[in-house]
Amino acid sequence: MEASEQLALLRRQDKQTFAALVRQYHGPLKAVARALVGPAEAEEVVQDAWLSAWRALPQFEGRASLKTWLTRIVLNAGYNRLRRRN
């Protein structure tokens, strides 16, 4: 599948395409979260990020790569978690 086709399906919130995205990026995103909040909370941070990404997909403009966009969402979720913790 071409990137433009994948992006079009994701913007329409195609569940199969989103599931493939989760399979592709969950591990690397969890590593980012683990580095930020620690191993105990990393999975929750990534789950929160996936929910945020799902909700925001229709507005995704594609100015950044999906990986960059998802990483930023994970970082924001992690920072929010750290703020609540402190």
Side-chain angles (χ1 to χ4, degrees), residues 31-83:
V32 170
R34 191 179 311 114
L36 187 60
V37 299
E41 296 178 282
E43 184 67 33
E44 287 182 40
V45 166
V46 176
Q47 291 297 326
D48 290 345
W50 283 122
L51 288 172
S52 295
W54 175 257
R55 291 182 194 118
L57 273 168
Q59 291 80 38
F60 178 63
E61 296 175 1
R63 289 184 287 161
S65 70
L66 277 170
K67 184 177 181 180
T68 299
W69 183 68
L70 291 168
T71 301
R72 175 46 55 192
I73 293 172
V74 168
L75 288 170
N76 289 343
Y79 292 140
N80 288 338
R81 177 68 56 123
L82 291 173
R83 276 194 288 278

